[in-house]
Amino acid sequence: MEMGIASASGVTMREHGLEAPLPGGRTGYFNFYWLRDNCPTSFDSETRERTFDIFRLVREPRPASANIAGDALEITWLEDGHISRYPLEWLSQYSEGRRRSDPADLPRRAWYADHYPDIARFAQPRLMVDRKQVVKWVEALLVEGVAILTDMPDSDEALTATVRLIGHVRPTFFGEYFDVKTHVNPTNLAYTAKALELHTDTPAEEMAPGVQFLHCRANSVEGCMSLFLDGVAVANDLRKEFPEAFKLLSETLIPYYCEHDSYDMRSRQRVIELDEHGEVCGVTISQHMADIFDLPQTFLDHYYPAFCRFGRMLQSDKYLMRFRLNAAECIVFDNHRIVHGRAAYSATSGERYLRGCYADRGEMRSAYRALTTTGRFK
Ligand SMILES: [Fe+2]
C-alpha cells in the first residue's frame, strides 16, 4: 500500500504505522509493531498469555494491505501473509495512549479521629462463604485503608484462611507470623506497658508489606488503647497548609534500618508516597527504624523542620482514632497508609495476645479485579 494515501475504506499508511477511522468519527494512529504484536491470534486462549514472539521479526512489520471490513480493521502482513482482524471498538481504547482502566484504582476517602463507629466491619465466618462480602471488604481497604473483622475463630488457622481470601501470607525478614503477648502479673501492681510510638511496619524492607492483619486472640487488660490514624488525611492537610514541607517529604528518600546479629536490613523511602495520579497514597514513618539521616547537613536545615511538623501533626487529636481491640476481632489495614501505635497503659491484671501477619497489596487488588470484572479474556 502506498504511504500517505487513504485506501477506499479510509485507512492511511504512514512511515511506521497507519491511521484508521474509529467509531464516533475519530481517526486513530497505530504503530505497526504494536498492531502485529497484538493481533488477537498472538494470545493463547487457554493460558491467556501472549505466544507471539515480536523479537523474531528481523525488520519492522509492514502491511501488504489494510482495510476496514465491517466493524474491524483487517491487515494482511507483507512478511508472512498472516491476516489480523482488530475490532474498531477495541482499537479505540488504545488510540490515545491512555492507561487501561483499573477497577482496583478507587479514589481514597480520608478519615479522622471520629472514624471508629464507621469502620467497615465484617463477620469473618460470613466472609469465608460470601464473595460479595469479600468485595466489600477489599473495597473498604482500598478506599479507607482499614476494616475490622469480627467473630474470628480463636485459632491460628482462622487467620491464615482469612488472608487466603485475598492472597497469601507474605513473609518479612522475621518470618510469616508475629506474636504480641503481654502477661500482666497480678502481684506486680506497678506494671506499666510502654507506649508504642506511631509507625508503619518494617520500613527497612525494600518493599514494606502491604496489608497488615492483627488478630486479637485475648485482651483482658484494662485501658489498653490502640491508636490508628489515616496517613493520607494528615499528608493531604500538610499539602494544603505547608506545601514546601509536603514537597520535601514526598520527594526525599530517607534511610531506614533494622539491624541485629544476623541481619542488616536497609532501605530508602519517602515519608509521603504519591500514586501514579500524584495523589497521596500513603506514608512511611517509624522513628525507631529511621537510620541516621546521611543527607547534606544544610539540606537537613530544611528537611528536619518539615519532618517534625509532620510528626507532630500525626499525633494531633484531629487524626488519632483511639479504641480498644477486642478478642475475636481482627483489624486489617494498609501498612503503607495507616499509622498505628498503642497508648501507654498500666494495669493490674489480664492478658493481651495479638497474632499478626501481612499480605501483598498487589495480590489484594488482583483478587478484587478477579471478583468484580471479567478481564480481557472472558
Ligand atoms: Fe506495628
Side-chain angles (χ1 to χ4, degrees):
M1 269 179 81
E2 224 171 308
M3 201 163 55
I5 305 208
S7 71
S9 56
V11 178
T12 306
M13 303 301 266
R14 298 292 178 199
E15 192 180 357
H16 299 295
L18 57 74
E19 285 166 11
L22 297 173
R26 286 185 303 122
T27 299
Y29 172 79
F30 301 94
N31 168 268
F32 291 141
Y33 277 106
W34 184 89
L35 285 165
R36 185 65 193 89
D37 203 20
N38 296 305
C39 172
T41 61
S42 295
F43 301 89
D44 181 81
S45 60
E46 246 178 294
T47 65
R48 305 182 188 183
E49 291 174 352
R50 190 198 309 279
T51 49
F52 178 73
D53 177 10
I54 193 89
F55 299 156
R56 79 172 167 77
L57 300 183
V58 289
R59 64 183 71 86
E60 179 181 51
R62 294 199 68 83
S65 68
N67 290 294
I68 304 300
D71 55 3
L73 168 69
E74 197 170 281
I75 295 179
T76 304
W77 295 98
L78 200 57
E79 186 191 44
D80 56 2
H82 180 79
I83 296 171
S84 300
R85 290 192 85 251
Y86 310 87
L88 295 177
E89 258 332 312
W90 177 84
L91 276 178
S92 60
Q93 294 171 53
Y94 294 95
S95 64
E96 285 166 24
R98 266 204 305 270
R99 287 190 183 204
R100 181 180 171 207
S101 81
D102 180 359
D105 185 18
L106 298 174
R108 290 169 205 88
R109 188 163 52 233
W111 52 264
Y112 300 86
D114 59 355
H115 187 57
Y116 185 68
D118 300 323
I119 293 183
R121 287 173 171 79
F122 303 91
Q124 190 267 5
R126 177 134 181 247
L127 214 50
M128 296 305 297
V129 295
D130 187 345
R131 288 156 62 100
K132 285 189 188 138
Q133 287 286 298
V134 176
V135 168
K136 287 201 174 354
W137 171 38
V138 178
E139 245 157 39
L141 293 174
L142 292 170
V143 173
E144 296 178 341
V146 64
I148 290 179
L149 309 183
T150 62
D151 306 289
M152 286 284 290
D154 184 21
S155 70
D156 293 357
E157 293 73 31
L159 177 59
T160 307
T162 309
V163 174
R164 289 303 308 272
L165 292 171
I166 58 166
H168 293 83
V169 172
R170 193 276 212 193
T172 61
F173 67 98
F174 53 80
E176 292 178 309
Y177 297 88
F178 58 91
D179 293 290
V180 185
K181 278 187 181 174
T182 315
H183 289 276
V184 180
N185 180 349
T187 60
N188 182 357
L189 293 177
Y191 186 92
T192 301
K194 280 187 185 165
L196 206 55
E197 53 126 338
L198 293 163
H199 65 280
T200 55
D201 273 21
T202 65
E205 295 226 347
E206 278 181 37
M207 219 22 140
V211 186
Q212 183 166 173
F213 290 70
L214 279 178
H215 179 191
C216 182
R217 300 279 288 273
N219 190 4
S220 53
V221 176
E222 272 174 44
C224 178
M225 299 298 268
S226 294
L227 307 176
F228 276 64
L229 67 95
D230 183 3
V232 164
V234 187
N236 280 341
D237 283 355
L238 184 79
R239 187 177 221 170
K240 266 185 260 148
E241 293 164 32
F242 305 101
E244 284 305 312
F246 179 85
K247 193 170 150 60
L248 283 167
L249 295 181
S250 60
E251 290 180 356
T252 311
L253 288 167
I254 60 163
Y256 288 94
Y257 78 112
C258 190
E259 186 187 320
H260 226 275
D261 293 346
S262 62
Y263 53 84
D264 184 355
M265 297 292 291
R266 302 182 198 185
S267 76
R268 288 179 184 271
Q269 316 283 354
R270 293 175 180 86
V271 168
I272 295 175
E273 300 168 28
L274 305 181
D275 67 10
E276 59 184 292
H277 312 294
E279 301 287 332
V280 176
C281 60
V283 298
T284 298
I285 198 94
S286 176
Q287 290 186 80
H288 60 276
M289 289 193 184
D291 205 345
I292 297 167
F293 292 177
D294 50 358
L295 296 158
Q297 294 292 328
T298 49
F299 177 78
L300 296 175
D301 289 349
H302 306 285
Y303 190 83
Y304 257 112
F307 183 65
C308 291
R309 183 183 290 285
F310 187 61
R312 280 195 300 275
M313 277 174 81
L314 291 173
Q315 295 167 357
S316 144
D317 283 340
K318 179 178 177 187
Y319 307 107
L320 265 187
M321 177 172 76
R322 293 164 202 272
F323 63 98
R324 186 186 154 83
L325 196 60
N326 301 302
E329 288 178 341
C330 178
I331 190 159
V332 188
F333 56 98
D334 184 338
N335 182 52
H336 287 248
R337 169 172 173 180
I338 306 304
V339 183
H340 62 283
R342 191 187 63 209
Y345 63 97
S346 62
T348 53
S349 66
E351 185 189 359
R352 186 171 185 264
Y353 173 29
L354 303 179
R355 184 168 167 84
C357 67
Y358 307 98
D360 185 75
R361 284 193 302 183
E363 270 201 276
M364 176 180 73
R365 291 192 195 101
S366 156
Y368 183 75
R369 293 182 198 112
L371 286 166
T372 56
T373 49
T374 53
R376 282 199 289 127
F377 292 88
K378 287 179 198 160

